[in-house]
């Protein structure tokens, strides 16, 4: 519980200088048995009446004091945790009167500081990130990529060198958010997929024989740490425990990697090194674990070392914008909105568990591309949707499509 104290929380009676402000009821927010002190103006000028009240008992203390004495009393009550009751409300329910204002001012101050430091940085939406070193590992820019407002806090965390984990259904844009941010600030990226494709050796490194000599080969983690790359650990909820325990060491900013296999070599992270995790069924997404078979639960201590963001599908408006930006004038505004609405309906059916398969932005883009080639939404849905789901799902998705797109009878005539 947060205790609300008068603005000067020290033992000094400095907060009580304006005598009119002293009149009122003083109670203890946590100790109901402590009763309340009532201060009122006395009939005699410059004097105050103090009464101590306990519930259901007669008043025990009833005395008249001068301002100096009253201030000493107030300082004592303040030390004991008494606070002034407003409008007769229970002090344990006092809301901090200027908290939101203080918070907004703090935000404005840090935005001003960020503006000053903005030179040599790349602006992405409302956030700016340092320019990376470039190189062959910088992902290609997707000009159609939309940094919705959901990216702002993620990117701020990247700037502050925090470990960021993005969780959400398949194809919501977790991996691409990080890759596209890297692309814009010309930052090299390495990806490691934990779903059965990455061994501890791949991740940390291994000894091998080359030209008759035994040499050490760095895994993706030490490479990223030494070279200042961003490392995306995809599907982190499938990682084997040995990988998670290595990761834990570098989760703190500045966390060093101890390469036990290489004679305990210590690797300090390059300042540009960043670590990301993505997962479908971690934390708040655990309730969907049955849809992502084989995903492991992650313990709280591990998760506590990350900032974990839920990345949901783009809103239909944003997804329509992405369609228009991806396909240009080939997709009219009305078409884009219809296609985004179909995707939204399929996702709603998925959340109701009427559909077993998710409808990713990736799927929507692929279906649209095929539709532009074939000229027919149903034909296009064959290889891009229907062949990937079971017959029941295909029938339901097809009915959603037909609900939104009027069948063109002229073609059949
Ligand atoms: N905000 C966006 N703007 C433009 N395209 C997007 C956006 N979000 C997602 N996409 C498209 O969707 C595709 C899938 O996104 P991505 O691979 O990032 O999903 P994911 O959440 O990592 O999926 P998975 O859980 O299956 O790994 C991207 O390649 C991109 O084409
Ligand atoms: Mg991904």
């Amino acid at each position: 519980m947060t205790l609300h104290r008068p603005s000067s929380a020290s033992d000094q009676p400095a907060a009580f200088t304006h005598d009119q402000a002293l009149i009122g009821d003083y109670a203890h927010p946590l100790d109901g048995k402590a009763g309340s002190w009532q201060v009122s103006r006395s009939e005699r000028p410059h004097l105050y009446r103090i009464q101590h009240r306990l519930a259901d008992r007669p008043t025990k203390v009833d005395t008249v004091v001068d301002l100096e004495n009253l201030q000493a009393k107030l300082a004592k009550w303040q030390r004991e945790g008494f606070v002034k009751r407003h409008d007769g409300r229970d002090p344990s329910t006092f809301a901090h009167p200027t908290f939101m204002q203080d918070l907004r001012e703090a935000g404005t101050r840090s935005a001003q500081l960020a503006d000053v430091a903005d030179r040599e940085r790349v602006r992405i939406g409302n956030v700016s990130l340092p320019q990376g070193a470039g190189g062959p590992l910088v992902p290609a820019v997707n000009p159609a990529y939309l940094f919705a407002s959901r990216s702002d806090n993620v990117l701020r965390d990247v700037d502050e060198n925090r470990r960021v984990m993005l969780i959400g259904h398949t194809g919501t844009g977790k991996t691409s958010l990080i890759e596209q941010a890297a692309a814009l600030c010309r930052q090299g990226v390495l990806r490691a997929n934990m779903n059965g494709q990455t061994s501890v050796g791949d991740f940390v490194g291994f000894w091998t024989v080359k030209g008759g000599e035994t040499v050490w080969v760095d895994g993706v983690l030490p490479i990223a740490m030494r070279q200042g790359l961003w490392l995306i650990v995809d599907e982190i909820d499938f990682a084997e425990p040995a990988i998670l325990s290595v990761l834990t060491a570098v989760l703190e900013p500045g966390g060093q990697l101890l390469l036990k296999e290489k004679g305990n070599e210590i690797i300090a992270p390059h300042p540009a090194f960043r670590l990301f995790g993505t997962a479908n069924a971690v934390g708040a997404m655990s309730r969907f674990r049955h849809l992502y078979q084989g995903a492991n639960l992650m313990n709280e201590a591990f998760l506590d070392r990350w900032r974990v963001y839920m990345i949901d599908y783009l809103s239909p408006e944003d997804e329509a914008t992405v369609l228009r930006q991806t396909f240009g004038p080939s997709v009219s505004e009305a078409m884009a909105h219809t296609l985004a609405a179909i995707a939204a309906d399929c996702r709603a059916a998925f959340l109701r568990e009427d559909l077993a398969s998710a409808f990713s932005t990736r799927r929507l883009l692929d279906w649209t591309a095929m539709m532009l080639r074939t000229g027919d939404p149903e034909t296009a849905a064959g290889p891009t949707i229907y062949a990937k789901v079971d017959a029941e799902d295909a029938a339901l998705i097809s009915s959603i499509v037909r609900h939104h797109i009027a069948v063109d009878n002229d073609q059949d005539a």
Side-chain angles (χ1 to χ4, degrees):
M1 165 178 268
T2 310
L3 263 181
H4 171 65
R5 282 167 173 264
S7 52
S8 164
S10 73
D11 289 342
Q12 305 301 316
F16 308 114
T17 45
H18 189 278
D19 70 338
Q20 185 59 42
L22 311 181
I23 310 290
D25 222 4
Y26 294 80
H28 199 294
L30 299 179
D31 185 359
K33 290 189 185 134
S36 68
W37 289 96
Q38 250 182 23
V39 179
S40 54
R41 205 176 278 287
S42 155
E43 299 83 51
R44 291 159 62 194
H46 311 303
L47 292 182
Y48 300 84
R49 184 164 181 205
I50 299 178
Q51 293 170 296
H52 187 231
R53 294 237 165 98
L54 278 167
D56 310 327
R57 301 229 192 117
T59 303
K60 251 183 157 179
V61 180
D62 190 348
T63 181
V64 172
V65 294
D66 64 10
L67 180 61
E68 197 178 329
N69 242 311
L70 174 61
Q71 286 186 329
K73 287 276 185 213
L74 286 164
K76 179 171 175 284
W77 299 339
Q78 193 179 359
R79 278 197 302 273
E80 290 169 356
F82 282 80
V83 293
K84 192 170 174 189
R85 216 201 284 260
H86 295 280
D87 313 323
R89 277 188 298 144
D90 177 349
S92 66
T93 66
F94 286 176
H96 189 312
T98 59
F99 189 94
M100 291 311 294
Q101 192 186 333
D102 294 355
L103 191 60
R104 274 190 291 272
E105 278 169 15
T108 314
R109 269 197 303 278
S110 62
Q112 282 163 352
L113 285 176
D115 274 352
V116 172
D118 245 8
R119 287 168 228 118
E120 315 263 321
R121 290 166 72 94
V122 179
R123 214 162 175 90
I124 304 174
N126 297 312
V127 185
S128 71
L129 290 180
Q131 186 88 244
L137 291 169
V138 175
V141 173
N142 171 2
Y145 198 82
L146 184 79
F147 284 94
S149 55
R150 66 186 192 182
S151 348
D152 284 0
N153 273 318
V154 172
L155 298 179
R156 279 200 184 102
D157 282 352
V158 175
D159 193 27
E160 290 175 11
N161 197 1
R162 292 180 195 276
R163 306 311 182 212
V164 171
M165 190 186 296
L166 304 181
I167 59 172
H169 286 302
T170 181
T172 51
K174 300 178 292 297
T175 308
S176 52
L177 194 166
I178 302 158
E179 281 188 332
Q180 286 307 304
L184 291 181
C185 51
R186 304 202 34 73
Q187 167 65 47
V189 175
L190 283 177
R191 278 173 67 176
N193 193 306
M194 294 294 123
N195 199 352
Q197 295 166 17
T198 310
S199 66
V200 185
D202 296 331
F203 199 66
V204 176
F206 54 89
W207 290 103
T208 187
V209 179
K210 247 189 204 165
E213 250 186 82
T214 309
V215 289
W216 173 260
V217 179
D218 268 345
V220 281
L221 179 62
I223 291 177
M225 289 181 76
R226 288 188 213 273
Q227 298 183 20
L229 301 168
W230 290 4
L231 175 60
I232 306 175
V233 183
D234 269 326
E235 305 198 51
I236 198 167
D237 43 348
F238 285 82
E240 48 183 291
I243 291 186
L244 292 183
S245 80
V246 172
L247 267 180
T248 305
V250 296
L251 284 177
E252 315 291 336
Q256 298 179 326
L257 175 66
L258 180 73
L259 279 181
K260 283 194 214 120
E261 298 80 353
K262 202 186 170 198
N264 285 336
E265 182 184 328
I266 293 170
I267 302 178
H270 184 289
F273 167 70
R274 295 290 185 276
L275 184 63
F276 302 88
T278 74
N280 299 121
V282 161
M285 288 293 293
S286 310
R287 67 197 168 104
F288 297 107
R289 270 182 76 221
H290 58 291
L291 301 172
Y292 299 99
Q293 288 196 354
N296 300 310
L297 271 180
M298 317 220 80
N299 74 46
E300 227 173 274
F302 184 77
L303 281 183
D304 261 351
R305 290 170 160 78
W306 301 79
R307 285 266 168 94
V308 181
Y309 290 93
M310 281 267 276
I311 301 293
D312 203 351
Y313 292 107
L314 290 169
S315 66
E317 293 71 36
D318 283 349
E319 210 158 37
T321 305
V322 169
L323 283 165
R324 301 266 289 151
Q325 286 178 177
T326 306
F327 299 104
S330 314
V331 172
S332 71
E333 193 154 347
M335 271 172 79
H337 279 102
T338 301
L339 292 169
I342 292 171
D345 279 1
C346 290
R347 285 163 197 160
F350 171 71
L351 286 179
R352 288 194 308 271
E353 305 209 5
D354 289 345
L355 274 181
S357 51
F359 204 101
S360 63
T361 302
R362 196 189 286 122
R363 182 170 283 184
L364 180 64
L365 291 168
D366 198 26
W367 177 39
T368 308
M370 192 80 179
M371 198 183 305
L372 292 173
R373 189 207 286 172
T374 63
D376 175 30
E378 278 292 323
T379 314
T384 56
I385 306 173
Y386 300 152
K388 301 175 183 175
V389 301
D390 64 28
E392 239 175 86
D393 274 13
L396 181 53
I397 296 170
S398 172
S399 74
I400 294 173
V401 171
R402 277 183 276 115
H403 173 76
H404 285 273
I405 302 178
V407 181
D408 190 351
N409 289 320
D410 292 353
Q411 264 190 1
D412 304 333

